[in-house]
């Protein structure tokens, strides 16, 4: 039993380390029918071109926040992690370390 717990801990740690992190800019936010919608722009990097998308969350959920326009660190969670049935992401302040910092919110990523 102890070996199984250690193995599960190692698997979880590897998946957390494999998270995809990027800097994004929140251009605007709105609430529509109980859904918080953030319009986001991801800057171009050598590995990836610039991209625009929308982040959704259900207003009233504990990690659903309306964020002010600005720059944030976005962490894409591994498949089947998070509270939504979609690609889940967490947003942090740009200078934060996701391993030790509290997230600002959790959202469902919707590509435009």
């Amino acid at each position: 039993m102890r070996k199984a717990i250690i193995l599960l801990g190692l698997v979880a740690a590897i998946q957390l380390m494999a998270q995809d992190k990027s800097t994004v800019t929140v251009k605007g936010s709105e609430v529509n029918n109980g859904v918080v919608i953030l319009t986001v722009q991801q800057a171009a990097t050598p590995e990836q071109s610039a991209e625009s998308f929308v982040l959704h969350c259900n207003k009233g959920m504990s990690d659903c926040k309306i964020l002010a326009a600005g720059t944030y660190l976005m962490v894409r969670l591994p498949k089947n992690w998070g509270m939504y049935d979609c690609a889940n992401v967490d947003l942090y302040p740009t200078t934060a370390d996701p391993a030790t910092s509290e997230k600002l919110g959790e959202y469902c990523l919707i590509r435009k």
Side-chain angles (χ1 to χ4, degrees):
M1 181 67 175
R2 185 175 180 175
K3 288 181 183 181
I5 292 172
I6 292 172
L7 181 62
L8 286 175
L10 286 173
V11 170
I14 290 170
Q15 286 188 340
L16 286 174
M17 290 176 12
Q19 294 173 338
D20 180 21
K21 301 173 193 170
S22 58
T23 301
V24 297
T25 302
V26 173
K27 298 292 188 178
S29 59
E30 66 178 286
V31 179
N32 189 355
N33 292 326
V35 177
V36 173
I37 303 168
L38 303 179
T39 305
V40 177
Q41 175 74 37
Q42 182 175 351
T45 64
E47 302 87 29
Q48 194 173 10
S49 62
E51 188 176 6
S52 293
F53 43 87
V54 179
L55 302 178
H56 289 193
C57 65
N58 296 324
K59 187 176 178 184
M61 296 295 287
S62 62
D63 289 327
C64 183
K65 309 275 187 318
I66 301 171
L67 297 178
T71 305
Y72 299 92
L73 177 65
M74 182 179 78
V75 177
R76 294 174 195 240
L77 300 178
K79 187 175 181 173
N80 297 325
W81 282 48
M83 67 175 76
Y84 301 106
D85 290 331
C86 60
N88 285 265
V89 299
D90 290 341
L91 292 182
Y92 296 87
T94 53
T95 58
D97 176 12
T100 59
S101 299
E102 187 173 331
K103 64 185 169 188
L104 298 174
E106 184 172 332
Y107 303 89
C108 177
L109 186 145
I110 309 293
R111 297 200 185 275
K112 283 187 172 182

